[in-house]
Amino acid sequence: MPLFSFEGKSPQVHPEAWIAPTATLVGDVVVEAGASVWYGAVIRADFGRIVVGEGANIQDNAVLHVGGNGCTVGRGATVGHLCLVHDCEIGEYAIVGNGSTVLDGSKVGARAMVAAGSTVTPESEVPPEVMAMGSPAKRLIPLTDGARAWVDTNPVLYQELARRHAAGIEEV
């Protein structure tokens, strides 16, 4: 797993976290217990700290970067495939859907969902337990039953999948 120190700050990965062998972590990154960072993801913390909370998952080819505010992905949260999360806060058990962008100073509330392909603009707030849609993400609706099911089940699904990958991948 490519881990790189930057100006004396090195990634800190809990022994119970899983980092895919092709993920890249640079600088002041903290990955807590049970979290997973998937193939091709890049987490670059050169301007401040990025914390990936306990049991959270950063999926394939996502990019997390930080400015002066710091960046936090809360416990059990999901950052989907191909997302850009920049200098913002993702709440506990929130889901940032595939291909979405969450920008500087934004806050995605606990158990909220950013629909796939959406853009949360700078300094925006997505309240807890709603779905934000669009680019910019302005349409806010209560979570549907299907969305609520994803919020409820996705953390455990990815924690188990990370254990399977840790035990079962093999370079060929």
Side-chain angles (χ1 to χ4, degrees):
M1 99 185 80
L3 301 177
F4 298 96
S5 177
F6 178 74
E7 295 182 346
K9 294 187 179 175
S10 298
Q12 302 168 41
V13 178
H14 192 280
E16 293 176 14
W18 181 72
I19 310 298
T22 58
T24 303
L25 281 62
V26 180
D28 195 6
V29 177
V30 175
V31 181
E32 296 180 350
S36 57
V37 180
W38 291 80
Y39 304 93
V42 175
I43 303 178
R44 181 165 55 94
D46 44 12
F47 290 119
R49 177 170 276 192
I50 298 175
V51 177
V52 178
E54 181 179 344
N57 64 90
I58 310 302
Q59 295 180 4
D60 309 71
N61 296 312
V63 174
L64 279 66
H65 188 238
V66 67
N69 295 316
C71 188
T72 302
V73 177
R75 180 170 51 106
T78 295
V79 174
H81 310 285
L82 295 170
C83 287
L84 170 62
V85 172
H86 195 272
D87 203 36
C88 60
E89 182 180 321
I90 308 299
E92 292 187 352
Y93 300 98
I95 294 179
V96 179
N98 295 345
S100 292
T101 300
V102 183
L103 293 170
D104 304 57
S106 295
K107 293 182 181 178
V108 176
R111 297 180 52 79
M113 179 180 279
V114 175
S118 296
T119 300
V120 179
T121 56
E123 306 297 328
S124 296
E125 185 165 342
V126 177
E129 300 203 21
V130 301
M131 183 185 303
M133 294 178 272
S135 188
K138 289 187 175 182
R139 186 166 175 224
L140 304 175
I141 63 169
L143 290 178
T144 63
D145 289 342
R148 190 173 308 282
W150 273 109
V151 169
D152 291 341
T153 61
N154 203 61
V156 172
L157 173 79
Y158 265 84
Q159 289 162 20
E160 175 56 29
L161 189 56
R163 283 190 286 277
R164 290 174 51 207
H165 276 257
I169 64 167
E170 192 174 308
E171 191 168 355
V172 293

